[in-house]
Amino acid sequence: MSAIPIKNKDGIAKMREACAIAATVLEQLKPLVRPGITTQDLEEAGRDWIARLGARSACYGYQHGSRRYPAHTCISVNDEVVHGIPSFKRILREGDIVSLDIVVWNDGYVGDNAFTVPVGPVASAVEKLLRVSRDALDLGIKQAQVGNRIGDISHAIQHYCEANGFSVVRDMVGHGVGVSMHEPPEIPNFGRKGAGDKIKPGMTLAIEPMVNLGHHKTKTLSDGWTVVAADGLPSAHFEHTVLTTDRGPEILTIPRSVGAPFSS
Ligand code: MF3
Ligand code: CO
């Protein structure tokens, strides 16, 4: 197991900037979600906002095996868990849910965040899925305390989601994030209290519950990217990049108002 990178003052300042940009892009996309638009519309808006804020997509061209991810954003609808590829054929309908995952490079550092938005009114079970998944993220973040262990985050998320009748995805995990999109440690959304690495000040962690309404099992579609719930039931995804400090966890993926200047 390789060591978890600790960011110095300069790295933290750069993480703040990358994360603020990722969060601002995500915030700009949320209100665009409505029946009739396509996931490609969201992709184009995301691509343009990333460029406008002077950053680069960390997803575009991201290599996995021999494949390169073909879009600037990941847009996953309903039973799609993560890594949905935007398409002009995918029209959002009332009752859908859509997970927006925005990862940017800025000045050598990566900011990563995600949020699942309902398209108009959704079934009450799906509403509950979104609420529980969102709250599970908060509970996970609360455990990102110096002196705790990574398993404390994992356990808090798993326990809350399962107590509410949902399941946590096991095939993908949260992760450290910094000079690359995926750094140590892995942050599973399931696990035991007191297990795993000890949390120290200066870690930057992408905590990201992926929560299924039904069974946790997933499969990858033939496009090589889109991960779906194997049982075809809806799945939600909420993610923040968090800095660990002696004063507690600090969420870095906080949007800025787009009039404000974007420099540190
Ligand atoms: N937030 C996703 C992750 O951590 C972003 C993946 S980008 C993609 O895996 F290129 F793989 F789609
Ligand atoms: Co991530």
Coordinates of all heavy atoms in Angstrom, one line a residue, residues 48-142:
D48 N -18.2 23.9 -21.8 CA -18.1 25.4 -21.9 C -17.7 26.1 -20.6 O -16.9 27.0 -20.6 CB -19.3 26.0 -22.5 CG -19.5 25.5 -24.0 OD1 -18.6 24.9 -24.6 OD2 -20.6 25.8 -24.6
W49 N -18.4 25.6 -19.5 CA -18.1 26.2 -18.2 C -16.7 25.9 -17.8 O -15.9 26.8 -17.2 CB -19.1 25.8 -17.2 CG -20.3 26.7 -17.1 CD1 -21.5 26.4 -17.5 CD2 -20.3 28.1 -16.7 NE1 -22.3 27.5 -17.3 CE2 -21.6 28.6 -16.8 CE3 -19.3 28.9 -16.2 CZ2 -22.0 29.9 -16.5 CZ3 -19.7 30.2 -15.8 CH2 -21.0 30.7 -16.0
I50 N -16.2 24.7 -18.0 CA -14.8 24.3 -17.6 C -13.9 25.2 -18.4 O -12.9 25.8 -17.8 CB -14.6 22.8 -17.9 CG1 -15.4 21.9 -17.0 CG2 -13.1 22.5 -17.7 CD1 -15.4 20.5 -17.4
A51 N -14.1 25.4 -19.6 CA -13.2 26.3 -20.4 C -13.3 27.7 -20.0 O -12.2 28.4 -19.8 CB -13.6 26.2 -21.9
R52 N -14.5 28.2 -19.7 CA -14.7 29.6 -19.3 C -13.9 29.9 -18.0 O -13.4 31.0 -17.7 CB -16.2 29.8 -19.1 CG -16.6 31.3 -19.1 CD -18.1 31.4 -19.2 NE -18.7 30.8 -20.4 CZ -19.9 30.2 -20.4 NH1 -20.7 30.2 -19.4 NH2 -20.3 29.7 -21.6
L53 N -13.8 28.9 -17.1 CA -13.2 29.0 -15.8 C -11.7 28.7 -15.9 O -11.0 28.7 -14.9 CB -13.9 28.2 -14.8 CG -15.3 28.6 -14.5 CD1 -16.0 27.7 -13.5 CD2 -15.4 30.1 -14.0
G54 N -11.2 28.5 -17.1 CA -9.8 28.3 -17.4 C -9.2 27.0 -17.0 O -8.0 26.8 -16.8
A55 N -10.1 26.0 -16.9 CA -9.6 24.7 -16.4 C -9.7 23.7 -17.6 O -10.1 24.0 -18.7 CB -10.4 24.2 -15.2
R56 N -9.4 22.4 -17.3 CA -9.5 21.3 -18.3 C -10.3 20.2 -17.7 O -10.1 20.0 -16.5 CB -8.1 20.8 -18.7 CG -7.5 21.6 -19.8 CD -6.3 20.8 -20.5 NE -5.4 20.3 -19.5 CZ -5.0 19.0 -19.4 NH1 -5.5 18.1 -20.2 NH2 -4.1 18.7 -18.5
S57 N -11.0 19.5 -18.5 CA -11.7 18.3 -18.0 C -10.7 17.2 -17.7 O -9.8 16.9 -18.5 CB -12.7 17.8 -19.0 OG -13.1 16.5 -18.6
A58 N -10.8 16.6 -16.5 CA -9.9 15.4 -16.2 C -10.5 14.2 -16.7 O -9.8 13.1 -16.8 CB -9.7 15.3 -14.7
C59 N -11.8 14.2 -17.2 CA -12.4 13.0 -17.8 C -12.0 12.8 -19.2 O -11.8 11.7 -19.7 CB -13.9 13.1 -17.6 SG -14.5 13.1 -15.9
Y60 N -12.0 14.0 -20.0 CA -11.8 13.9 -21.4 C -10.5 13.2 -21.7 O -9.4 13.7 -21.3 CB -11.9 15.3 -22.1 CG -11.8 15.2 -23.6 CD1 -13.0 14.8 -24.3 CD2 -10.7 15.5 -24.2 CE1 -12.9 14.8 -25.7 CE2 -10.6 15.4 -25.6 CZ -11.7 15.0 -26.3 OH -11.7 15.0 -27.7
G61 N -10.5 12.1 -22.4 CA -9.3 11.4 -22.8 C -8.7 10.5 -21.7 O -7.7 9.9 -21.8
Y62 N -9.4 10.5 -20.5 CA -9.0 9.7 -19.4 C -8.9 8.2 -19.9 O -9.8 7.7 -20.5 CB -10.0 9.8 -18.3 CG -9.6 8.9 -17.0 CD1 -8.8 9.4 -16.1 CD2 -10.2 7.7 -16.9 CE1 -8.4 8.7 -15.0 CE2 -9.9 6.9 -15.8 CZ -9.0 7.4 -14.8 OH -8.7 6.6 -13.7
Q63 N -7.7 7.6 -19.6 CA -7.4 6.3 -20.2 C -7.7 5.2 -19.2 O -7.3 5.3 -18.0 CB -6.0 6.2 -20.6 CG -5.8 5.1 -21.7 CD -4.5 5.2 -22.4 OE1 -3.7 6.2 -22.2 NE2 -4.2 4.2 -23.2
H64 N -8.5 4.2 -19.6 CA -8.8 3.0 -18.8 C -8.6 1.8 -19.7 O -9.3 1.6 -20.7 CB -10.2 3.1 -18.3 CG -10.6 1.9 -17.4 ND1 -10.0 1.8 -16.1 CD2 -11.4 0.9 -17.6 CE1 -10.5 0.7 -15.6 NE2 -11.3 0.1 -16.5
G65 N -7.5 1.0 -19.5 CA -7.2 0.0 -20.4 C -6.8 0.6 -21.8 O -6.0 1.6 -21.8
S66 N -7.4 0.2 -22.8 CA -7.1 0.8 -24.1 C -8.1 1.8 -24.6 O -8.0 2.4 -25.6 CB -7.1 -0.4 -25.2 OG -8.4 -0.9 -25.2
R67 N -9.0 2.1 -23.7 CA -10.1 3.1 -24.0 C -9.8 4.5 -23.5 O -9.2 4.6 -22.4 CB -11.4 2.7 -23.5 CG -11.9 1.4 -24.1 CD -13.2 1.0 -23.4 NE -13.6 -0.4 -23.8 CZ -14.5 -0.7 -24.8 NH1 -15.0 0.3 -25.5 NH2 -14.8 -1.9 -25.1
R68 N -10.2 5.5 -24.2 CA -10.2 6.9 -23.7 C -11.6 7.4 -23.5 O -12.4 7.3 -24.4 CB -9.4 7.8 -24.6 CG -7.9 7.5 -24.5 CD -7.1 8.4 -25.4 NE -5.6 8.1 -25.2 CZ -4.9 8.6 -24.2 NH1 -5.5 9.4 -23.3 NH2 -3.6 8.4 -24.1
Y69 N -11.9 8.0 -22.4 CA -13.2 8.5 -22.2 C -13.5 9.7 -23.1 O -12.7 10.6 -23.3 CB -13.3 9.0 -20.7 CG -14.8 9.4 -20.4 CD1 -15.7 8.4 -20.2 CD2 -15.1 10.7 -20.3 CE1 -17.0 8.7 -19.9 CE2 -16.5 11.0 -20.0 CZ -17.4 10.0 -19.8 OH -18.7 10.4 -19.6
P70 N -14.6 9.6 -23.8 CA -14.8 10.5 -24.9 C -15.5 11.9 -24.6 O -15.7 12.7 -25.5 CB -15.8 9.7 -25.9 CG -16.6 8.9 -24.9 CD -15.6 8.6 -23.8
A71 N -15.8 12.2 -23.4 CA -16.6 13.4 -23.1 C -15.9 14.2 -21.9 O -15.0 13.6 -21.2 CB -18.0 13.0 -22.7
H72 N -16.4 15.4 -21.7 CA -15.8 16.3 -20.7 C -16.5 16.1 -19.3 O -16.0 16.6 -18.3 CB -16.0 17.7 -21.1 CG -15.2 18.0 -22.4 ND1 -15.8 17.6 -23.6 CD2 -14.1 18.6 -22.6 CE1 -14.9 18.0 -24.6 NE2 -13.9 18.5 -24.0
T73 N -17.7 15.4 -19.3 CA -18.5 15.2 -18.1 C -18.9 13.8 -18.1 O -19.0 13.1 -19.1 CB -19.7 16.1 -18.1 OG1 -20.5 15.8 -19.3 CG2 -19.3 17.6 -18.2
C74 N -19.3 13.3 -16.9 CA -20.0 12.0 -16.8 C -21.4 12.3 -16.4 O -21.7 12.9 -15.4 CB -19.3 11.1 -15.8 SG -17.6 10.7 -16.2
I75 N -22.4 11.8 -17.2 CA -23.8 12.0 -17.0 C -24.5 10.7 -16.9 O -24.6 10.0 -18.0 CB -24.4 12.9 -18.1 CG1 -23.5 14.1 -18.4 CG2 -25.8 13.4 -17.7 CD1 -23.6 15.3 -17.6
S76 N -25.0 10.3 -15.8 CA -25.5 9.0 -15.6 C -27.0 9.1 -15.2 O -27.3 9.7 -14.2 CB -24.7 8.2 -14.5 OG -23.3 8.3 -14.8
V77 N -27.9 8.4 -15.9 CA -29.3 8.5 -15.8 C -29.9 7.3 -15.1 O -29.6 6.1 -15.6 CB -30.0 8.8 -17.1 CG1 -31.5 9.0 -17.0 CG2 -29.4 10.0 -17.8
N78 N -30.7 7.5 -14.1 CA -31.5 6.4 -13.5 C -30.7 5.2 -13.0 O -30.0 5.4 -12.0 CB -32.6 5.9 -14.5 CG -33.6 7.0 -14.8 OD1 -33.8 7.9 -14.0 ND2 -34.4 6.9 -15.8
D79 N -30.7 4.0 -13.7 CA -30.0 2.9 -13.2 C -28.5 3.0 -13.5 O -27.7 2.1 -13.1 CB -30.5 1.6 -13.9 CG -30.4 1.6 -15.4 OD1 -30.7 2.7 -16.0 OD2 -30.1 0.6 -16.0
E80 N -28.1 4.0 -14.3 CA -26.6 4.2 -14.5 C -26.0 4.8 -13.2 O -26.5 5.8 -12.7 CB -26.4 5.2 -15.7 CG -26.9 4.6 -17.0 CD -27.0 5.6 -18.1 OE1 -26.6 6.8 -18.0 OE2 -27.4 5.2 -19.2
V81 N -25.0 4.1 -12.8 CA -24.4 4.5 -11.5 C -23.4 5.6 -11.7 O -23.5 6.7 -11.0 CB -23.6 3.2 -10.8 CG1 -23.0 3.6 -9.5 CG2 -24.6 2.1 -10.7
V82 N -22.4 5.4 -12.5 CA -21.4 6.4 -12.8 C -20.9 6.2 -14.3 O -21.2 5.2 -14.9 CB -20.1 6.3 -11.9 CG1 -20.5 6.8 -10.5 CG2 -19.6 4.9 -11.9
H83 N -20.1 7.2 -14.7 CA -19.4 7.1 -16.0 C -20.3 7.0 -17.2 O -19.9 6.4 -18.3 CB -18.3 6.0 -16.0 CG -17.3 6.1 -14.9 ND1 -16.5 5.1 -14.6 CD2 -17.1 7.1 -14.0 CE1 -15.8 5.5 -13.5 NE2 -16.1 6.7 -13.2
G84 N -21.5 7.5 -17.1 CA -22.4 7.5 -18.3 C -21.9 8.5 -19.3 O -21.4 9.6 -18.9
I85 N -21.9 8.1 -20.5 CA -21.4 8.9 -21.6 C -22.5 9.8 -22.2 O -23.5 9.3 -22.6 CB -20.8 8.1 -22.8 CG1 -19.6 7.2 -22.2 CG2 -20.3 9.0 -23.9 CD1 -19.1 6.2 -23.2
P86 N -22.3 11.1 -22.2 CA -23.4 12.0 -22.7 C -23.8 11.6 -24.1 O -22.9 11.3 -24.9 CB -22.8 13.4 -22.6 CG -21.7 13.3 -21.6 CD -21.2 11.9 -21.7
S87 N -25.0 11.8 -24.5 CA -25.5 11.5 -25.8 C -26.7 12.4 -26.2 O -27.5 12.7 -25.4 CB -25.9 10.0 -25.8 OG -26.8 9.8 -27.0
F88 N -26.7 12.8 -27.5 CA -27.8 13.6 -27.9 C -29.1 12.7 -28.1 O -30.2 13.2 -28.2 CB -27.5 14.3 -29.3 CG -27.2 13.3 -30.4 CD1 -28.2 12.8 -31.2 CD2 -25.9 13.0 -30.7 CE1 -28.0 12.0 -32.2 CE2 -25.6 12.1 -31.7 CZ -26.7 11.6 -32.5
K89 N -28.9 11.4 -27.9 CA -30.1 10.5 -28.0 C -30.8 10.3 -26.7 O -31.9 9.8 -26.6 CB -29.6 9.1 -28.5 CG -29.3 9.1 -30.0 CD -29.0 7.6 -30.4 CE -28.0 7.6 -31.5 NZ -27.1 6.4 -31.4
R90 N -30.0 10.7 -25.6 CA -30.6 10.5 -24.2 C -31.4 11.7 -23.8 O -30.8 12.7 -23.3 CB -29.5 10.2 -23.3 CG -30.0 9.7 -21.9 CD -30.5 8.3 -22.1 NE -31.3 7.8 -21.0 CZ -31.0 6.8 -20.2 NH1 -29.9 6.2 -20.3 NH2 -31.9 6.4 -19.2
I91 N -32.7 11.7 -23.9 CA -33.5 12.8 -23.6 C -34.1 12.6 -22.2 O -34.6 11.5 -21.9 CB -34.7 12.9 -24.6 CG1 -34.2 13.0 -26.0 CG2 -35.6 14.1 -24.2 CD1 -35.3 12.7 -27.1
L92 N -33.9 13.6 -21.3 CA -34.4 13.4 -19.9 C -35.9 13.6 -19.9 O -36.5 14.5 -20.6 CB -33.7 14.5 -19.0 CG -32.2 14.3 -18.9 CD1 -31.6 15.4 -18.1 CD2 -31.8 12.9 -18.4
R93 N -36.5 12.8 -19.1 CA -38.0 12.8 -18.9 C -38.3 13.0 -17.4 O -37.5 12.7 -16.6 CB -38.6 11.4 -19.3 CG -38.2 10.9 -20.6 CD -39.0 11.6 -21.7 NE -38.7 11.1 -23.0 CZ -38.8 11.8 -24.1 NH1 -39.2 13.1 -24.1 NH2 -38.5 11.3 -25.3
E94 N -39.5 13.6 -17.2 CA -39.9 13.8 -15.8 C -39.9 12.4 -15.1 O -40.3 11.4 -15.7 CB -41.4 14.3 -15.8 CG -41.8 14.8 -14.5 CD -43.1 15.6 -14.6 OE1 -43.1 16.7 -15.2 OE2 -44.1 15.1 -14.1
G95 N -39.4 12.5 -13.9 CA -39.3 11.2 -13.1 C -38.0 10.6 -13.1 O -37.7 9.7 -12.3
D96 N -37.1 11.0 -14.1 CA -35.7 10.5 -14.1 C -34.9 11.1 -13.0 O -35.3 12.2 -12.5 CB -35.0 10.9 -15.5 CG -35.6 10.1 -16.7 OD1 -36.3 9.1 -16.5 OD2 -35.3 10.5 -17.8
I97 N -33.8 10.5 -12.7 CA -32.7 11.2 -11.9 C -31.5 11.2 -12.8 O -31.2 10.3 -13.6 CB -32.5 10.5 -10.6 CG1 -32.1 9.0 -10.7 CG2 -33.7 10.7 -9.7 CD1 -31.7 8.4 -9.4
V98 N -30.7 12.3 -12.6 CA -29.4 12.4 -13.4 C -28.3 12.8 -12.5 O -28.3 13.8 -11.8 CB -29.7 13.3 -14.6 CG1 -30.1 14.7 -14.2 CG2 -28.4 13.4 -15.5
S99 N -27.2 11.9 -12.6 CA -26.0 12.2 -11.8 C -25.0 12.9 -12.7 O -24.7 12.4 -13.8 CB -25.4 10.8 -11.3 OG -26.3 10.2 -10.5
L100 N -24.6 14.0 -12.2 CA -23.6 14.9 -12.9 C -22.3 14.7 -12.1 O -22.2 15.0 -10.9 CB -24.0 16.3 -12.8 CG -25.5 16.6 -13.2 CD1 -25.8 18.1 -12.9 CD2 -25.7 16.3 -14.7
D101 N -21.2 14.3 -12.8 CA -19.9 14.1 -12.2 C -18.9 15.0 -12.9 O -18.7 14.8 -14.1 CB -19.5 12.6 -12.3 CG -18.3 12.3 -11.4 OD1 -17.6 13.2 -10.9 OD2 -18.0 11.1 -11.2
I102 N -18.3 15.9 -12.2 CA -17.4 16.9 -12.8 C -16.1 16.8 -12.2 O -15.9 17.0 -11.0 CB -18.0 18.4 -12.6 CG1 -19.4 18.5 -13.3 CG2 -17.0 19.4 -13.2 CD1 -19.5 18.3 -14.8
V103 N -15.1 16.6 -13.0 CA -13.7 16.5 -12.5 C -12.8 17.4 -13.4 O -12.8 17.2 -14.6 CB -13.2 15.0 -12.6 CG1 -11.9 14.8 -11.7 CG2 -14.2 14.0 -12.2
V104 N -12.1 18.3 -12.8 CA -11.3 19.3 -13.6 C -9.9 19.2 -13.1 O -9.5 19.0 -12.0 CB -11.9 20.7 -13.5 CG1 -13.3 20.8 -13.9 CG2 -11.6 21.4 -12.2
W105 N -9.0 19.6 -14.1 CA -7.6 19.9 -13.8 C -7.4 21.4 -13.8 O -7.9 22.1 -14.7 CB -6.8 19.4 -15.0 CG -6.3 18.0 -15.1 CD1 -6.8 17.1 -15.9 CD2 -5.3 17.4 -14.3 NE1 -6.1 15.9 -15.7 CE2 -5.2 16.1 -14.7 CE3 -4.4 17.9 -13.3 CZ2 -4.3 15.2 -14.2 CZ3 -3.5 17.0 -12.8 CH2 -3.4 15.7 -13.2
N106 N -6.8 21.9 -12.8 CA -6.4 23.3 -12.9 C -5.0 23.5 -12.2 O -4.9 23.1 -11.1 CB -7.5 24.2 -12.2 CG -7.2 25.7 -12.3 OD1 -7.4 26.2 -13.4 ND2 -6.8 26.3 -11.3
D107 N -4.1 24.1 -12.9 CA -2.8 24.4 -12.3 C -2.2 23.2 -11.7 O -1.6 23.2 -10.6 CB -3.0 25.5 -11.3 CG -1.7 26.3 -11.0 OD1 -0.7 26.1 -11.8 OD2 -1.7 27.1 -10.1
G108 N -2.3 22.0 -12.4 CA -1.7 20.8 -11.9 C -2.4 20.0 -10.8 O -1.9 19.0 -10.4
Y109 N -3.6 20.5 -10.4 CA -4.4 19.8 -9.4 C -5.8 19.5 -9.9 O -6.3 20.1 -10.8 CB -4.4 20.6 -8.1 CG -3.1 20.5 -7.4 CD1 -2.0 21.3 -7.8 CD2 -2.9 19.6 -6.3 CE1 -0.8 21.2 -7.1 CE2 -1.7 19.5 -5.7 CZ -0.6 20.3 -6.1 OH 0.6 20.2 -5.4
V110 N -6.4 18.4 -9.3 CA -7.7 17.9 -9.7 C -8.7 18.2 -8.6 O -8.5 18.0 -7.4 CB -7.6 16.4 -10.0 CG1 -9.0 15.9 -10.3 CG2 -6.6 16.1 -11.0
G111 N -9.9 18.7 -9.0 CA -11.1 18.8 -8.2 C -12.1 17.9 -8.7 O -12.4 17.8 -9.9
D112 N -12.8 17.2 -7.8 CA -13.8 16.1 -8.2 C -15.0 16.2 -7.4 O -15.0 16.3 -6.1 CB -13.1 14.8 -7.9 CG -13.8 13.6 -8.5 OD1 -14.9 13.7 -9.0 OD2 -13.3 12.4 -8.3
N113 N -16.2 16.3 -8.0 CA -17.5 16.3 -7.3 C -18.6 15.9 -8.1 O -18.5 15.9 -9.4 CB -17.8 17.7 -6.6 CG -18.0 18.9 -7.5 OD1 -18.4 19.9 -7.1 ND2 -17.8 18.8 -8.8
A114 N -19.7 15.4 -7.5 CA -20.8 14.9 -8.2 C -22.1 15.1 -7.4 O -22.1 15.3 -6.2 CB -20.7 13.4 -8.4
F115 N -23.2 15.1 -8.1 CA -24.5 15.4 -7.5 C -25.6 14.8 -8.3 O -25.5 14.8 -9.6 CB -24.7 16.9 -7.4 CG -25.8 17.4 -6.5 CD1 -25.5 17.8 -5.2 CD2 -27.1 17.5 -6.9 CE1 -26.5 18.2 -4.3 CE2 -28.1 17.9 -6.1 CZ -27.8 18.3 -4.8
T116 N -26.6 14.2 -7.7 CA -27.7 13.6 -8.5 C -29.0 14.5 -8.4 O -29.4 14.9 -7.2 CB -28.0 12.2 -8.0 OG1 -26.9 11.4 -8.1 CG2 -29.1 11.6 -8.8
V117 N -29.5 14.9 -9.5 CA -30.6 15.9 -9.6 C -31.9 15.1 -10.1 O -31.8 14.4 -11.0 CB -30.2 17.0 -10.6 CG1 -31.3 18.0 -10.7 CG2 -28.9 17.6 -10.3
P118 N -33.0 15.4 -9.4 CA -34.3 14.8 -10.0 C -34.7 15.6 -11.2 O -34.6 16.9 -11.2 CB -35.2 15.0 -8.8 CG -34.7 16.1 -8.0 CD -33.2 16.2 -8.2
V119 N -35.3 15.0 -12.1 CA -35.9 15.7 -13.3 C -37.4 15.8 -13.0 O -38.2 14.9 -13.1 CB -35.7 14.9 -14.6 CG1 -36.2 15.7 -15.8 CG2 -34.2 14.5 -14.8
G120 N -37.8 17.0 -12.5 CA -39.2 17.2 -12.1 C -39.5 16.3 -10.9 O -38.5 15.9 -10.2
P121 N -40.7 16.1 -10.6 CA -41.1 15.2 -9.5 C -40.7 13.8 -9.8 O -40.8 13.3 -10.9 CB -42.6 15.3 -9.4 CG -43.0 16.3 -10.4 CD -41.9 16.6 -11.4
V122 N -40.2 13.1 -8.8 CA -39.8 11.7 -8.9 C -40.6 10.8 -7.9 O -41.1 11.4 -6.9 CB -38.3 11.5 -8.8 CG1 -37.5 12.3 -9.8 CG2 -37.8 11.9 -7.4
A123 N -40.6 9.5 -8.1 CA -41.3 8.6 -7.2 C -40.7 8.8 -5.8 O -39.6 9.2 -5.6 CB -41.1 7.2 -7.6
S124 N -41.6 8.6 -4.8 CA -41.2 8.9 -3.4 C -40.0 8.0 -3.0 O -39.1 8.5 -2.2 CB -42.3 8.8 -2.4 OG -42.8 7.5 -2.4
A125 N -39.9 6.8 -3.4 CA -38.8 6.0 -3.1 C -37.5 6.5 -3.7 O -36.4 6.4 -3.0 CB -39.0 4.5 -3.6
V126 N -37.6 7.1 -4.8 CA -36.4 7.7 -5.5 C -36.0 9.0 -4.8 O -34.8 9.3 -4.6 CB -36.7 7.9 -7.0 CG1 -35.5 8.6 -7.6 CG2 -37.0 6.6 -7.7
E127 N -37.0 9.8 -4.4 CA -36.8 11.0 -3.6 C -36.0 10.6 -2.3 O -35.0 11.3 -1.9 CB -38.1 11.6 -3.2 CG -38.2 13.1 -3.2 CD -39.6 13.5 -3.1 OE1 -40.1 13.5 -1.9 OE2 -40.3 13.8 -4.1
K128 N -36.4 9.5 -1.7 CA -35.8 9.1 -0.4 C -34.3 8.6 -0.8 O -33.4 8.9 0.0 CB -36.6 7.9 0.2 CG -35.9 7.4 1.5 CD -36.7 6.3 2.2 CE -35.9 5.7 3.3 NZ -36.4 4.4 3.8
L129 N -34.2 7.9 -1.9 CA -32.8 7.5 -2.3 C -31.9 8.7 -2.4 O -30.7 8.7 -1.9 CB -32.9 6.8 -3.6 CG -31.5 6.4 -4.3 CD1 -30.9 5.3 -3.5 CD2 -31.7 6.0 -5.7
L130 N -32.4 9.8 -3.0 CA -31.5 11.0 -3.1 C -31.2 11.6 -1.8 O -30.1 12.0 -1.5 CB -32.2 12.0 -4.0 CG -32.5 11.6 -5.5 CD1 -33.1 12.8 -6.3 CD2 -31.3 11.0 -6.1
R131 N -32.2 11.7 -0.9 CA -32.0 12.3 0.4 C -31.1 11.5 1.2 O -30.1 12.0 1.8 CB -33.4 12.4 1.1 CG -33.4 13.3 2.3 CD -34.9 13.4 2.8 NE -35.4 12.1 3.3 CZ -36.5 11.6 2.8 NH1 -37.2 12.1 1.8 NH2 -37.0 10.4 3.2
V132 N -31.2 10.2 1.2 CA -30.4 9.3 2.1 C -28.9 9.4 1.5 O -28.0 9.4 2.3 CB -30.9 7.9 2.1 CG1 -29.9 6.9 2.6 CG2 -32.2 7.9 2.9
S133 N -28.8 9.3 0.2 CA -27.4 9.3 -0.4 C -26.7 10.6 -0.1 O -25.5 10.7 0.3 CB -27.5 9.1 -1.9 OG -28.3 8.0 -2.2
R134 N -27.5 11.7 -0.2 CA -26.9 13.1 0.1 C -26.5 13.1 1.6 O -25.4 13.6 1.9 CB -28.0 14.1 -0.2 CG -27.6 15.6 0.1 CD -26.6 16.1 -0.9 NE -26.0 17.3 -0.5 CZ -25.0 17.4 0.4 NH1 -24.5 16.4 1.0 NH2 -24.5 18.6 0.6
D135 N -27.4 12.7 2.5 CA -27.0 12.7 3.9 C -25.9 11.7 4.2 O -25.1 12.0 5.2 CB -28.3 12.3 4.7 CG -29.3 13.4 4.7 OD1 -29.0 14.5 4.2 OD2 -30.5 13.2 5.1
A136 N -25.8 10.6 3.5 CA -24.7 9.7 3.7 C -23.4 10.3 3.4 O -22.4 10.1 4.1 CB -24.9 8.4 2.9
L137 N -23.4 11.2 2.4 CA -22.1 11.9 2.1 C -21.7 12.8 3.3 O -20.6 12.8 3.7 CB -22.3 12.7 0.8 CG -21.1 13.7 0.5 CD1 -19.8 12.9 0.3 CD2 -21.4 14.5 -0.8
D138 N -22.7 13.5 3.8 CA -22.4 14.4 5.0 C -21.9 13.6 6.2 O -20.9 14.0 6.8 CB -23.7 15.1 5.4 CG -24.0 16.3 4.5 OD1 -23.1 16.7 3.7 OD2 -25.2 16.7 4.5
L139 N -22.5 12.4 6.4 CA -22.1 11.6 7.5 C -20.7 11.0 7.3 O -19.9 11.0 8.3 CB -23.1 10.4 7.7 CG -24.5 10.8 8.2 CD1 -25.4 9.6 8.2 CD2 -24.4 11.4 9.7
G140 N -20.4 10.7 6.1 CA -19.0 10.2 5.7 C -18.0 11.3 6.0 O -17.0 11.1 6.6
I141 N -18.4 12.5 5.5 CA -17.4 13.7 5.7 C -17.2 14.0 7.1 O -16.1 14.2 7.5 CB -18.0 14.9 4.9 CG1 -18.0 14.7 3.4 CG2 -17.2 16.2 5.3 CD1 -18.7 15.8 2.6
K142 N -18.2 13.9 7.9 CA -18.1 14.1 9.4 C -17.1 13.2 10.0 O -16.5 13.5 11.1 CB -19.4 13.9 10.1 CG -20.3 15.1 10.0 CD -21.3 15.2 11.2 CE -22.3 16.3 11.1 NZ -23.4 16.0 10.2

